[in-house]
Amino acid sequence: MSFRGFQKSVIRAPQQLKSKFNIGEHTKDPIYIDAERRFQELEAETKHLHDESKKYFEAINGMLNHQIEFSKAMTEIYKPISGRMSDPDSLVLHGNIEGIRACEEYEAVVKELQETLAPELEMIDTRVIRPANELLDVIKVIRKTATKRDHKQLDYDRHRATLKKLQEKKDKTAKDEKALWKAENDVEVATQEFNYFNDLLKDELPKLFKLERDFIQPLFQSFYYMQLNIFYTLHERMQQCDIGYFDLTLDVEDAFYKKRGDIQEQAEKLSIVKFKTSGMKRPPKYGPGAARPALESSQPQGLLEAGPSSSSTPSVPAATRPWQRQESDEKHPPPPYTPVMATASHAPSVTSPKPSSLSAAAAVKAKPKPPPPKPKPAQFAAKKTVETVTALYDYSAQAEGDLSFRAGDVIEIVTRTKNENEWWVGRLSGKEGQFPGNYVKLN
């Protein structure tokens, strides 16, 4: 934009705002308004025609290129995965030789078809896309004229408003008379310029619309015939495609299942396709949050001792430690932690009692035992509540006697300890087994 054009845009800005918000008086020509609306539609649809024709041209070329790339990919898949050169069988072909040959033949057919269709696709560019470009160039010139007409309308309305304001002024000074004379001249010039562009567009736009209809008709006919030739050529060439690898006597779906056979079932039996993960955070193998602590020193002192002196009480046997797994304990789950601790805390001393404790032991032995309490009536007996936990992570059984579960499963507790870093016993779906306590949370 030149400096003069910038000045004019600044001067027209107030009137443009008034026109946008419908403030004051504005010139309206219904005939031109209808013609301008139709011109906008012509402009948009011509641009649409150009873009869609270009997309069609690129789509046909892209389809053929994709067919060639598809055959190349299938050829690479059919080829054997070569091993190291030291392998004596690395030079032996184990791939699908017939399939590779069929892919190469198909690729040659598509390349030949691409060369055959090249002239037809070039005609789309010369007979549809280029004429649409030429029409767009004409529309751009007309759009500039319509924009200039809108600017002249702003000047016309602006000068008319100034003249009306000066005419309505009662006490006019000499300066006002001079401004009035200038405003009258400005209105006369603006009227002439606005009427010129307005009448020109009203007269020429209907002619453009008629020419546009005559212009589009041969484009559409040419596009139809070129499209028909392309589809006919594709159909005829693919019908003549005689590759022995394909059985064209069968239906597409029947031929697919016949070629595939039981390959899908064999692939699904592979162990590598059965790996599943929940995506949840898993506990570390080592450290304070480990599922199976291996050191006895990480357990509380109460688990290793019974009574005030550890020297007078035997340690818990290794086979009954619930946080260690022994080879002899594979078939039978280890006993729960609570009975182990109770047994250990009440185990008799293996050393001889001291003389000072003999009298106390004799007194305890001589004291009669209290009678056992009578059982409560059935109606007053408290119902045993079932304790459950929710699995935080997936756990797969690593040995016989373990309980497998998935994250989110609700497990019924059979026995558990107060330490979550030990093995608990639970029941899920009628199956009972042991599992790490730090894989679950209490409900």
Side-chain angles (χ1 to χ4, degrees):
M1 181 185 292
S2 62
F3 181 73
R4 185 177 179 183
F6 176 75
Q7 283 182 324
K8 289 183 178 180
S9 63
V10 172
I11 295 173
R12 292 167 180 156
Q15 183 62 31
Q16 195 168 8
L17 289 175
K18 292 180 180 179
S19 175
K20 184 177 181 180
F21 295 101
N22 199 18
I23 301 174
E25 296 181 1
H26 306 285
T27 303
K28 293 183 180 180
D29 190 340
I31 298 177
Y32 173 77
I33 291 175
D34 181 68
E36 206 273 338
R37 178 185 56 79
R38 293 178 60 188
F39 178 69
Q40 286 183 352
E41 294 177 357
L42 171 64
E43 186 177 18
E45 295 305 323
T46 304
K47 182 69 168 58
H48 192 199
L49 171 66
H50 170 269
D51 294 343
E52 294 303 321
S53 302
K54 192 173 182 180
K55 287 179 182 178
Y56 180 82
F57 174 79
E58 295 173 352
I60 297 296
N61 275 322
M63 179 189 68
L64 299 174
N65 290 329
H66 290 322
Q67 287 178 271
I68 295 174
E69 295 300 324
F70 175 83
S71 62
K72 290 180 179 179
M74 291 296 297
T75 304
E76 293 299 324
I77 293 175
Y78 281 145
K79 288 181 180 179
I81 301 176
S82 59
R84 297 175 298 179
M85 293 304 297
S86 59
D87 187 359
D89 294 333
S90 62
L91 300 178
V92 180
L93 292 178
H94 299 285
N96 188 346
I97 300 177
E98 295 180 357
I100 295 174
R101 187 181 298 113
C103 289
E104 292 174 350
E105 293 179 10
Y106 178 77
E107 182 179 349
V109 169
V110 176
K111 286 184 177 179
E112 181 186 354
L113 186 60
Q114 195 173 28
E115 295 176 358
T116 305
L117 291 178
E120 296 291 340
L121 295 175
E122 186 66 26
M123 289 177 64
I124 293 178
D125 182 58
T126 56
R127 296 188 181 181
V128 179
I129 298 178
R130 290 183 187 176
N133 269 331
E134 295 174 358
L135 181 58
L136 281 176
D137 293 338
V138 173
I139 289 176
K140 288 179 182 178
V141 175
I142 299 174
R143 173 53 62 190
K144 290 182 179 180
T145 305
T147 303
K148 186 173 291 187
R149 181 260 178 202
D150 294 338
H151 290 167
K152 296 304 180 182
Q153 179 183 341
L154 291 176
D155 293 339
Y156 175 65
D157 292 338
R158 177 169 57 87
H159 290 310
R160 278 201 313 153
T162 302
L163 178 61
K164 184 177 180 181
K165 184 177 180 181
L166 291 173
Q167 288 176 346
E168 291 177 352
K169 192 172 182 180
K170 295 181 179 180
D171 298 330
K172 298 183 181 63
T173 61
K175 187 177 180 180
D176 295 334
E177 293 292 341
K178 184 177 180 181
L180 180 62
W181 177 78
K182 182 177 181 302
E184 289 175 351
N185 289 336
D186 291 339
V187 168
E188 184 177 356
V189 173
T191 303
Q192 293 177 358
E193 292 179 349
F194 169 70
N195 288 335
Y196 171 77
F197 288 103
N198 189 61
D199 295 339
L200 176 65
L201 290 172
K202 287 196 300 182
D203 183 55
E204 299 292 337
L205 282 179
K207 297 178 182 179
L208 175 68
F209 299 148
K210 183 179 182 303
L211 293 174
E212 174 260 340
R213 289 193 297 270
D214 297 336
F215 178 82
I216 292 298
Q217 184 175 355
L219 288 185
F220 183 61
Q221 185 174 358
S222 299
F223 181 77
Y224 173 76
Y225 279 116
M226 286 182 289
Q227 187 180 25
L228 186 64
N229 290 337
I230 290 173
F231 288 159
Y232 178 76
T233 305
L234 285 170
H235 176 74
E236 184 182 18
R237 189 64 189 91
M238 297 308 291
Q239 283 278 38
Q240 297 175 358
C241 183
D242 186 13
I243 300 177
Y245 188 74
F246 306 132
D247 187 3
L248 301 180
T249 60
L250 297 176
D251 186 65
V252 175
E253 189 174 358
D254 296 337
F256 171 77
Y257 287 115
K258 180 181 178 181
K259 280 285 185 182
R260 189 177 69 176
D262 61 341
I263 299 301
Q264 182 175 357
E265 289 76 8
Q266 295 182 28
E268 290 177 351
K269 290 179 181 179
L270 296 176
S271 300
I272 57 177
V273 301
K274 296 180 180 179
F275 178 77
K276 296 181 180 179
T277 178
S278 63
M280 298 182 64
K281 184 179 179 182
R282 296 185 178 276
K285 284 187 175 182
Y286 309 101
R292 298 188 182 195
L295 299 176
E296 294 181 8
S297 59
S298 63
Q299 300 301 324
Q301 186 70 15
L303 301 180
L304 304 178
E305 296 180 357
S309 175
S310 61
S311 61
S312 61
T313 307
S315 60
V316 180
T320 61
R321 295 174 188 164
W323 59 88
Q324 293 182 352
R325 304 185 61 83
Q326 304 293 336
E327 294 181 0
S328 62
D329 209 22
E330 291 292 336
K331 295 184 178 180
H332 303 284
Y337 168 73
T338 306
V340 174
M341 187 176 69
T343 305
S345 61
H346 293 82
S349 177
V350 296
T351 59
S352 299
K354 296 181 180 180
S356 60
S357 62
L358 290 176
S359 59
V364 172
K365 190 173 183 180
K367 187 177 180 180
K369 294 182 179 180
K374 295 181 179 181
K376 293 182 180 180
Q379 60 270 24
F380 297 105
K383 293 184 179 179
K384 185 179 179 181
T385 58
V386 179
E387 188 177 18
T388 59
V389 293
T390 301
L392 298 175
Y393 316 100
D394 293 350
Y395 177 72
S396 299
Q398 301 178 2
E400 188 176 355
D402 287 359
L403 181 66
S404 300
F405 51 79
R406 301 294 299 273
D409 289 346
V410 178
I411 306 169
E412 179 183 347
I413 292 295
V414 178
T415 55
R416 73 174 182 88
T417 65
K418 295 182 179 180
N419 189 354
E420 65 176 9
N421 290 325
E422 295 179 353
W423 290 84
W424 297 355
V425 180
R427 185 181 296 108
L428 177 64
S429 300
K431 185 178 179 181
E432 186 173 322
Q434 58 182 1
F435 59 89
N438 57 356
Y439 271 52
V440 298
K441 68 174 181 179
L442 293 173
N443 292 334

